[in-house]
């Protein structure tokens, strides 16, 4: 069973991976004189992972909060709340 990660969780993961990518970038720049391919790959992967978490964070909807005014009330016996034509009486519709 997969556990849902809330929007705040994705933000925390994005911040952590961004800091990790920044740390690897500093290490890469410090060792720029002696090119290290492994460090470059680690920098690219960390950056891509952080970008993916940020994108997921921005795509995710806010936590579901039920607002009573989001949807009209549902009635079991009559789903129509208002007549379509305000100028025609509902009794006239029934006799047509």
């Amino acid at each position: 069973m997969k556990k849902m990660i809330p929007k705040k969780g994705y933000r925390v993961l994005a911040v952590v991976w961004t800091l990790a990518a920044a740390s690897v970038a500093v290490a890469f720049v410090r060792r720029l004189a002696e090119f290290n391919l492994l460090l470059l790959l680690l920098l690219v992967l960390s950056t891509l992972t952080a970008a993916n978490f940020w994108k997921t964070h921005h795509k995710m909807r806010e936590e579901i909060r039920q607002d009573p005014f989001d949807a009209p009330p549902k009635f079991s016996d009559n789903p129509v709340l208002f007549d379509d034509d305000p100028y025609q009486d509902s009794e006239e519709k029934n006799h047509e």
Side-chain angles (χ1 to χ4, degrees):
M1 187 165 97
K2 186 176 179 182
K3 185 177 178 183
M4 289 291 295
I5 300 174
K7 187 173 182 174
K8 287 182 181 181
Y10 280 111
R11 185 179 63 215
V12 168
L13 287 170
V15 167
V16 168
W17 277 102
T18 302
L19 292 174
S23 174
V24 174
V26 168
F28 180 75
V29 169
R30 288 183 73 186
R31 293 182 175 252
L32 199 55
E34 50 199 58
F35 183 75
N36 191 347
L37 184 62
L38 183 62
L39 209 54
L40 179 64
L41 288 175
L42 192 60
L43 173 64
V44 169
L45 289 175
S46 296
T47 305
L48 289 176
T49 305
N52 190 23
F53 278 125
W54 279 116
K55 186 168 39 170
T56 305
H57 167 71
H58 290 298
K59 276 186 179 180
M60 230 178 135
R61 292 186 347 217
E62 288 291 326
E63 281 101 26
I64 299 172
R65 294 184 186 135
Q66 212 46 2
D67 188 9
F69 300 108
D70 279 346
K74 294 183 175 145
F75 301 105
S76 60
D77 57 337
N78 188 9
V80 179
L81 296 177
F82 302 104
D83 289 337
D84 293 330
D85 188 11
Y87 300 109
Q88 187 179 13
D89 193 15
S90 60
E91 292 177 6
E92 292 175 5
K93 284 184 180 179
N94 293 338
H95 297 295
E96 286 182 356

